[in-house]
């Protein structure tokens, strides 16, 4: 029941908004659907906590500690982003950057995008998960090109083609997985693609085939995670689309893609009986961290700056999942949570800041603290949090990852520290004058929505100081599920 | 030792699929490119039908029907309409000349057979020898996408890649479960519709579908 509501509400929302999207109240309807979806996610979580893992609809849906926390996170950030997008999109339409018809597309696709991500997270069928991941790309392509500027069209095309090709690799990987599984589970029904069934026979799966499958799956879903060297689409798509979309792409879609990679890794590791998948994840992760940190220095556009920072953080998580083991997995899950909360909060603040300045170029954004203290503080605190300064949650997770790396993979620690240092200098050096510099810009017609920004930051702060025992327990169970080492 | 007739036909269909991929690699007229894509879809459909008849697997009939409807009729029709409405008939000179492209294509085929070797050895299907061809079709389509400049040609390459993947799934495992095939087909169809809208946006903005215009987003702007 909770599950039907979870998937059904955004789908119905997409339909309704597609019909009445030009209505003046469309943003509020969007918020209402996001809110009810979030409530459904909470109900589902309560049920999983009470009853343990759930298998629904002929075993097509599987919910355990690992994905239910991502479901809640996704629904929560979906809700806050819809709150943020209400005044943001109003200002955009008053600035004549978008027409009412485009606003209808925007609201409808926003709900559809949420639905596809929730399906991808909860699907037990590896094939359906693929379908939902592709649908998530398709529902956002037209949102990236919403402004119809040459740059946004280019970004959309890049996004479509790169992720399309990437996801085709993942389909090949899924076919190989099915090929290996069908020998053991039989071709009757769809059992051979169900993750739970695959997981129970993973030690019998043919290692040679699964190894090959993992390469394709990692490259395929890795493209969507934004792992270097397949990250080219990410900064463009984040920078050129409307800011609420940047926030959900960065805070949610990347997580969902990483989730898919980890699900595959669990199977492949069980079959290979070696740490090869983990090593591959560590390699891609480190490469992304280092490349992103170096590229941060060359950015002039504020949204591109934080898009590269997302690549860096996805790299850190991938690296931690690659190390495997209880502590590293725990840290990676925590990092997933705090990164998506912090990064979306930053994008909210950045969105308002860019609207005030009328430009996304960092040189044009100045003096936020005098112009609009709340936006300025939001951006500053968000930046401080994402850079891993205590007492914010990012510090806790990065600290755990670094200390585990020192123990397990000492060679990687200096590389990580070096990259984190470079990123720190690059981002802080840019944000400081934006917040404190001199300015002449004037106020916005609609008051910015800052509740989402500060709610997110407060949560991140809380996670840095104190993780509620129930949540910690939840992370621990999930970390155990992922295993590794 | 000679193979049964139906297997011989299947193998020739597989060989034809590969041949069509090579033809696509060198073809510069976009209308012909779309026709080749439809032909490739038809070959795929015929191979699926033959395999369905041979194995008696009912879901393969459905899969063949999907291929026929989508890859032979709907998508080529949509593409032809797009070409007419957007008035793009020729691709510009590919990034590499035809001889060079063909040579690299040959190397790709050799590489694909090497890659498919371990899978073919493990497969128990009668069509396992064509897994290599499927991989080659996928990689050749990928190569077509890389060497083309016009958005429409890249899309044709993308769809040809999808054909290769379906053929691979068929040769290795007699097709994916029904629900997955429907999902994939739906995604491909939606992707085409999204692209249609997208092309008009590109066209409106640049007055051309040449992807050279889409190269402004370099790192240091």
């Amino acid at each position: 029941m909770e599950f039907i509501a979870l998937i059904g509400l955004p789908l119905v929302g997409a339909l309704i908004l597609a019909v009445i999207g030009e209505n003046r109240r469309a943003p509020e309807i969007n918020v209402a659907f996001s809110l009810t979806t979030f409530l459904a996610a909470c109900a589902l979580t309560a049920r999983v906590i009470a009853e343990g893992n759930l298998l629904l609809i002929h075993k097509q849906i599987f919910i355990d500690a690992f994905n239910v926390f991502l479901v809640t996170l996704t629904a929560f950030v979906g809700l806050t982003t819809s709150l943020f997008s209400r005044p943001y999109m109003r200002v955009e339409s008053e600035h004549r950057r978008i027409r009412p018809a485009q606003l209808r597309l925007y609201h409808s696709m926003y709900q559809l995008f949420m639905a596809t991500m929730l399906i991808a997270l909860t699907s037990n069928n590896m094939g359906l998960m693929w379908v939902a991941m592709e649908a998530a790309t398709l529902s956002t392509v037209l949102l990236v090109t919403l402004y119809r500027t040459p740059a946004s069209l280019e970004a959309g095309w890049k996004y479509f083609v790169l992720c399309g090709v990437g996801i085709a690799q993942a389909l090949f990987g899924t076919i190989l997985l099915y090929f290996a599984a069908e020998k053991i589970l039989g071709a009757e029904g769809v059992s051979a693609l169900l993750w739970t069934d695959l997981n129970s026979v993973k030690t019998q799966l043919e290692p040679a085939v699964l190894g090959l499958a993992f390469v394709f799956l990692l490259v395929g879903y890795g493209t969507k995670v934004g792992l270097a060297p397949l990250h080219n689409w990410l900064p463009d798509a984040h920078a050129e689309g409307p800011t609420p979309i940047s926030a959900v792409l960065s805070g949610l879609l990347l997580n969902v893609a990483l989730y898919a990679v980890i699900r595959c890794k669990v199977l492949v590791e069980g079959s290979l009986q070696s740490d090869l998948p983990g090593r591959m994840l560590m390699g891609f992760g480190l490469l992304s961290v280092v490349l992103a940190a170096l590229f941060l220095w060359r950015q002039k556009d504020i949204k591109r700056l934080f898009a590269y920072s997302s690549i860096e953080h996805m790299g850190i998580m991938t690296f931690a999942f690659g190390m495997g083991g209880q502590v590293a997995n725990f840290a990676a899950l925590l990092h997933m949570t705090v990164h998506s909360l912090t990064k979306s909060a930053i994008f909210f603040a950045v969105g308002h800041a860019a609207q005030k300045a009328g430009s996304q170029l960092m040189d044009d954004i100045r003096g936020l603290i005098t112009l609009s203290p709340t936006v300025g503080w939001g951006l500053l605190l968000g930046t401080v949090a994402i850079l891993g300064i205590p007492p914010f949650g990012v510090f806790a997770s990065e600290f755990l990852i670094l200390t585990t790396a020192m123990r397990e993979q000492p060679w990687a620690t200096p590389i990580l520290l070096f990259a984190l240092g470079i990123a720190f200098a690059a981002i802080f050096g840019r944000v400081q004058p934006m917040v404190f510099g001199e300015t002449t810009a004037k106020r916005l017609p609609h008051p910015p929505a800052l509740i989402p920004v500060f709610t997110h930051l407060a949560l991140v702060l809380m996670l840095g100081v104190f993780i509620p025992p129930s949540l910690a327990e939840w992370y621990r169970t999930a970390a155990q599920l992922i295993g590794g080492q | 030792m000679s193979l049964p007739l139906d297997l011989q036909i299947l193998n020739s269909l597989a060989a034809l699929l590969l041949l069509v991929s090579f033809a696509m690699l060198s073809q510069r007229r976009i209308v012909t490119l779309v026709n080749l894509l439809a032909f490739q879809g038809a070959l795929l459909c015929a191979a699926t039908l033959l395999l369905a008849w041979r194995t008696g697997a009912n879901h393969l009939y459905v899969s063949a029907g999907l291929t026929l409807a989508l890859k032979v009729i709907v998508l080529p029709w949509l593409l032809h309409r797009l070409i007419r409405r957007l008035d793009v008939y020729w691709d510009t000179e590919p990034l590499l000349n035809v001889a060079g492209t063909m040579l690299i294509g040959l190397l790709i085929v050799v590489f694909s057979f090497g890659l498919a070797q371990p899978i073919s050895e493990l497969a128990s299907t009668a069509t396992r020898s064509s897994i290599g061809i499927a991989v080659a079709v996928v990689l050749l389509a990928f190569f077509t996408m890389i060497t083309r400049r016009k958005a429409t040609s890249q899309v044709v390459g993308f769809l040809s890649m999808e054909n290769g993947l379906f053929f691979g799934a068929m040769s290795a495992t007699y097709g994916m479960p029904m629900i997955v095939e429907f999902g994939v087909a739906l995604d491909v169809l939606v992707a085409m519709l999204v692209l249609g809208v997208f092309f008009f946006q590109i066209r409106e903005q640049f007055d051309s579908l040449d992807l050279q215009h889409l190269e402004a987003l370099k790192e240091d702007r």
Side-chain angles (χ1 to χ4, degrees):
Chain A
M1 187 56 219
E2 296 91 341
F3 175 74
I4 305 286
L6 181 75
I7 304 293
L9 279 167
L11 283 177
V12 173
L15 261 180
I16 291 182
L17 283 164
V19 178
I20 57 149
E22 288 180 38
N23 188 301
R24 226 164 36 83
R25 291 275 150 235
E28 280 76 17
I29 299 171
N30 192 28
V31 172
F33 273 106
S34 305
L35 177 68
T36 42
T37 309
F38 175 60
L39 292 179
C42 289
L44 187 72
T45 311
R47 186 161 155 208
V48 172
I49 289 176
E51 299 175 23
N53 297 352
L54 290 177
L55 269 175
L56 305 166
I57 317 181
H58 306 290
K59 292 166 75 178
Q60 293 295 324
I61 302 296
F62 174 61
I63 297 163
D64 64 1
F66 181 25
N67 59 17
V68 82
F69 109 84
L70 281 171
V71 165
T72 324
L73 184 67
T74 303
F76 176 70
V77 176
L79 167 64
T80 47
T81 307
S82 69
L83 284 172
F84 159 71
S85 106
R86 208 169 59 94
Y88 183 85
M89 292 317 265
R90 287 231 161 100
V91 174
E92 291 294 276
S93 48
E94 270 168 36
H95 285 184
R96 309 235 173 270
R97 289 192 69 184
I98 42 175
R99 294 191 303 270
Q102 287 169 299
L103 216 52
R104 168 156 83 179
L105 175 81
Y106 167 81
H107 283 125
S108 175
M109 285 298 157
Y110 183 85
Q111 289 294 330
L112 195 65
F113 177 54
M114 296 310 294
T116 54
M117 281 196 297
L118 292 170
I119 296 173
L121 282 173
T122 50
S123 171
N124 191 22
N125 184 324
M126 301 298 280
L128 278 192
M129 183 166 86
W130 183 90
V131 172
M133 289 291 295
E134 169 77 354
T137 312
L138 293 176
S139 57
T140 39
V141 165
L142 291 181
L143 293 183
V144 169
T145 65
L146 199 68
Y147 294 139
R148 306 271 178 93
T149 56
S152 77
L153 286 173
E154 180 186 344
W157 177 253
K158 242 183 187 173
Y159 179 44
F160 181 85
V161 168
L162 272 173
C163 284
V165 171
I167 208 96
Q169 316 280 323
L171 180 61
F172 192 60
T174 312
I175 292 171
L176 287 176
L177 193 64
Y178 178 66
F179 166 68
E182 152 218 66
K183 293 199 176 342
I184 312 222
L185 294 165
E188 297 309 309
V190 288
S191 165
L193 269 179
L194 294 185
W195 189 84
T196 41
D197 294 18
L198 286 168
N199 195 34
S200 59
V201 296
K202 62 183 174 189
T203 48
Q204 302 166 41
L205 298 175
E206 184 59 48
V209 180
L210 253 74
L212 195 60
F214 187 68
V215 174
F216 282 100
L217 288 164
L218 178 61
V219 170
Y221 290 132
T223 310
K224 291 208 87 165
V225 181
L227 293 178
L230 311 157
H231 64 278
N232 277 328
W233 63 272
L234 194 147
D236 297 346
H238 281 51
E240 303 305 331
T243 308
I245 296 308
S246 320
V248 279
L249 280 181
S250 197
L252 302 178
L253 182 67
L254 306 186
N255 274 356
V256 177
L258 186 59
Y259 163 84
V261 173
I262 302 306
R263 280 278 188 220
C264 300
K265 176 199 169 227
V266 173
L267 296 178
V268 176
E269 219 162 34
S271 155
L272 258 60
Q273 300 291 340
S274 81
D275 57 355
L276 181 73
R279 281 181 184 284
M280 285 167 66
L281 286 184
M282 281 194 279
F284 271 109
L286 271 186
L287 185 67
S288 314
V289 176
V290 173
L291 268 184
L294 293 175
F295 271 114
L296 277 172
W297 280 100
R298 300 174 57 181
Q299 301 314 314
K300 298 192 177 74
D301 179 314
I302 185 163
K303 280 164 81 179
R304 286 182 82 86
L305 181 81
F306 285 109
Y308 272 103
S309 151
S310 290
I311 300 176
E312 180 208 342
H313 286 275
M314 292 322 282
I316 294 177
M317 285 172 228
T318 311
F319 174 79
F321 278 125
M323 279 197 296
Q326 271 284 6
V327 186
N329 286 340
F330 180 97
L333 291 169
L334 181 63
H335 200 78
M336 255 181 162
T337 320
V338 289
H339 171 255
S340 84
L341 289 173
T342 319
K343 192 48 71 59
S344 36
I346 289 178
F347 272 116
F348 300 158
V350 162
H352 286 310
Q355 273 184 338
K356 273 190 199 306
S359 159
Q360 281 175 211
L361 291 182
M362 288 188 273
D363 289 340
D364 297 342
I365 305 174
R366 283 293 177 264
L368 288 171
I369 209 107
T370 45
L371 191 66
S372 164
T374 40
V375 174
W377 278 110
L379 183 60
L380 187 68
L381 286 176
T383 309
V384 165
I386 204 75
L387 290 174
I389 292 175
F392 287 100
V394 182
F395 169 75
S397 55
E398 280 182 356
F399 182 76
L400 267 177
I401 292 171
L402 277 172
T403 45
T404 321
M406 271 178 215
R407 206 170 50 246
E408 309 286 341
Q409 316 283 346
W411 56 272
T413 329
I415 307 176
L416 273 177
L417 278 174
F418 164 77
L420 286 175
I422 291 188
F424 185 95
I427 296 183
F428 200 76
R430 301 280 156 76
V431 171
Q432 199 268 345
M434 282 193 278
V435 175
F436 293 108
E438 297 285 319
T439 181
T440 50
K442 52 183 184 305
R443 304 184 77 85
L444 282 179
H446 290 272
L450 287 159
I451 297 168
V453 180
F454 290 102
T455 321
H456 282 200
L457 290 177
L459 281 173
V460 174
L461 183 63
M462 182 197 78
L463 287 173
V465 183
F466 164 73
I467 303 177
S470 57
L471 190 64
E473 184 53 41
W474 201 2
Y475 282 140
R476 232 171 264 132
T477 326
Q480 205 153 20
L481 277 171
I482 302 165
Q485 260 189 341
Chain B
M1 183 185 90
S2 77
L3 287 164
L5 183 65
D6 49 353
L7 264 188
Q8 284 186 29
I9 300 178
L10 261 176
N11 283 344
S12 353
L13 284 174
L16 274 173
L17 268 177
L18 191 62
L19 221 66
V20 174
S21 285
F22 267 100
M24 281 179 162
L25 207 53
S26 60
Q27 184 56 252
R28 275 177 51 215
R29 216 172 149 239
I30 293 176
V31 179
T32 320
L33 207 57
V34 174
N35 288 339
L36 279 172
L37 181 77
F39 182 53
Q40 199 179 40
L43 286 173
L44 186 64
C45 175
T48 319
L49 272 180
L50 198 61
L51 202 65
W53 175 75
R54 190 189 151 83
T55 59
N58 283 328
H59 73 273
L60 280 179
Y61 284 112
V62 185
S63 171
L66 264 181
T67 310
L68 181 71
L70 205 63
K71 304 253 169 77
V72 186
I73 300 170
V74 177
L75 292 183
W77 176 73
L78 274 175
L79 280 169
H80 275 304
R81 242 178 73 128
L82 265 180
I83 293 172
R84 264 201 313 278
R85 302 226 351 228
L86 295 169
D87 202 26
V88 272
Y89 291 98
W90 288 86
D91 202 340
T92 37
E93 189 67 33
L95 301 179
L96 217 68
N97 65 26
V98 174
T101 318
M102 285 296 159
L103 265 176
I104 296 177
L106 275 180
L107 290 178
I108 288 177
V109 173
V110 174
F111 172 75
S112 315
F113 274 89
L115 192 70
Q117 186 68 27
I119 313 171
S120 308
E121 273 170 16
L122 289 164
S124 51
T125 50
T127 42
R128 59 177 180 271
S129 50
S130 27
I131 299 175
I133 291 189
V135 178
V137 171
V138 172
L139 292 182
L140 284 175
F142 186 45
F143 187 53
T144 314
M145 285 182 78
I146 296 175
T147 50
R148 292 314 174 93
R149 281 218 188 96
K150 283 272 197 275
T152 7
S153 331
Q154 288 201 351
V155 169
V156 172
F158 183 70
L159 290 171
S160 166
M161 189 148 86
E162 206 87 53
N163 280 346
L165 284 171
F166 261 79
F167 188 63
M170 209 179 73
S171 337
T173 62
Y174 293 147
M176 300 282 274
M178 214 53 257
I179 180 166
V180 178
E181 288 204 9
F182 270 116
V184 174
L186 183 72
D187 270 350
V188 171
L189 187 66
V190 175
M192 282 315 294
L193 295 178
V194 169
L195 266 176
V197 177
F198 201 49
F199 280 172
F200 282 102
Q201 295 182 357
I202 295 184
R203 167 85 172 183
E204 193 183 308
Q205 193 58 242
F206 299 108
D207 216 30
S208 148
L209 268 187
D210 198 324
L211 292 177
Q212 266 178 317
H213 296 292
L214 296 187
E215 280 172 12
L217 282 181
K218 291 280 158 54
E219 271 324 314
D220 25 27
R221 274 185 298 162

